[in-house]
Amino acid sequence: MDILSLFPEAIEPYLSSSVLARAKRTGTVDICVTNFRDFSEDRHKTVDDYPFGGGAGMLLKAPPLFAAVDHVRALRNLEYAPRVIMMTPQGRTFNQAVARELKKERHLIFLCGHYEGFDDRVRQHLATDELSIGDFVLTGGELAALVVVDAVVRLMPGVLGNEESPKQDSHENGMLEYPQYTRPRKFREWEVPEVLLSGHHENIEAWRRREALANTCRNRPDLFMKLPLDERERSEIVRYVNGYLEN
């Protein structure tokens, strides 16, 4: 992975901690950050300019970004075209399915914008993808790129240590995750559900499925309606959630 940004210092600390640091250290993934200001064509290292036709703010110029991507491809000796992902509020919404899609790629290049956005020739002729992490605007694309990088890397074999961990995450199977508990068994007046202490694996799995479906119905009804449930099970979960809310 390569991340092109005007603020590498905002990215490096996160890449040097926790799961991403371990993935880099073990060689599972190679992540580099490049400051595309270094590829500006003038002596002042200018990367932005006023938009033709007028308007508020400044736009990122196309030449430094094209030059930076060319540099990365040459440095990596790439003989194939990598995915070049422009982080923008106008892109398709990133989700777990997209993370699984990107995990299959050999190389990803992320373009982190600033100011009022990119010269549109970057979108038309350089980027292969446009991604957004939600319907809101950030100061720059760095946080958004890190969100995508983190979500993709943690899916790679060996990164989390336990191969089952990603399979149980929220959104991995279209549902939100079920509630989980650890010691102490009783905290203040709140106790761990008895079924989790029973040792009866079939009952535990049934409880976890019901609670995952209930969480999804309660918090993300849009996802719940997309789940391939028969009408009996869907109705049972809705009744269960309504009873839970009444209590």
Side-chain angles (χ1 to χ4, degrees), residues 6-22:
L6 294 175
F7 300 96
E9 67 276 12
I11 297 173
E12 293 288 3
Y14 193 76
L15 298 180
S16 302
S17 62
S18 189
V19 168
L20 292 179
R22 184 165 64 247

Side-chain angles (χ1 to χ4, degrees), residues 227-238:
L227 292 172
L229 307 176
D230 59 46
E231 286 308 310
R232 179 190 60 80
E233 186 175 26
R234 193 181 303 277
S235 297
E236 286 179 356
I237 294 299
V238 171

Side-chain angles (χ1 to χ4, degrees), residues 161-181:
N162 186 337
E163 296 300 318
E164 294 301 310
S165 292
K167 299 176 183 178
Q168 299 172 4
D169 287 339
S170 291
H171 300 291
E172 189 59 35
N173 55 7
M175 296 187 288
L176 303 187
E177 195 172 9
Y178 51 78
Q180 299 196 69
Y181 302 85

Side-chain angles (χ1 to χ4, degrees), residues 34-204:
T34 299
N35 191 335
F36 60 85
R37 188 181 297 278
D38 295 339
F39 299 88
S40 174
E41 298 175 317
D42 64 64
R43 61 189 180 92
H44 299 294
K45 296 296 181 182
T46 306
V47 294
D48 61 322
D49 209 338
Y50 295 103
F52 285 115
M58 307 285 277
L59 290 177
L60 287 171
K61 300 171 67 173
L65 284 158
F66 276 78
V69 170
D70 288 344
H71 168 79
V72 165
R73 292 185 63 176
L75 190 66
R76 298 282 196 176
N77 196 27
L78 298 184
E79 297 178 354
Y80 55 90
R83 297 277 284 271
V84 180
I85 301 171
M86 186 168 75
M87 304 308 304
T88 167
Q90 301 180 38
R92 65 169 170 155
T93 302
F94 180 71
N95 57 28
Q96 194 69 7
V98 179
R100 290 194 297 269
E101 171 193 326
L102 295 180
K103 189 201 82 163
K104 301 174 184 177
E105 295 294 326
R106 296 168 63 187
H107 196 100
L108 301 173
I109 298 176
F110 296 89
L111 308 181
C112 301
H114 262 270
Y115 314 118
E116 289 299 310
F118 300 88
D119 180 307
D120 203 60
R121 286 167 289 193
V122 174
R123 180 187 63 81
Q124 294 180 50
H125 306 293
L126 182 61
T128 61
D129 299 80
E130 300 173 64
L131 284 183
S132 166
I133 62 168
D135 295 336
F136 50 88
V137 179
L138 297 169
T139 302
E142 287 75 17
L143 287 174
L146 284 173
V147 165
V148 177
V149 168
D150 189 290
V152 172
V153 171
R154 70 190 309 280
L155 293 176
M156 294 179 175
V159 170
L160 295 183
N162 186 337
E163 296 300 318
E164 294 301 310
S165 292
K167 299 176 183 178
Q168 299 172 4
D169 287 339
S170 291
H171 300 291
E172 189 59 35
N173 55 7
M175 296 187 288
L176 303 187
E177 195 172 9
Y178 51 78
Q180 299 196 69
Y181 302 85
T182 188
R183 292 181 289 186
R185 178 171 175 174
K186 182 175 182 179
F187 172 62
R188 298 183 179 178
E189 70 271 26
W190 307 302
E191 295 193 31
V192 174
E194 193 65 33
V195 65
L196 298 178
L197 309 172
S198 68
H200 195 299
H201 296 297
E202 186 175 331
N203 288 351
I204 290 172

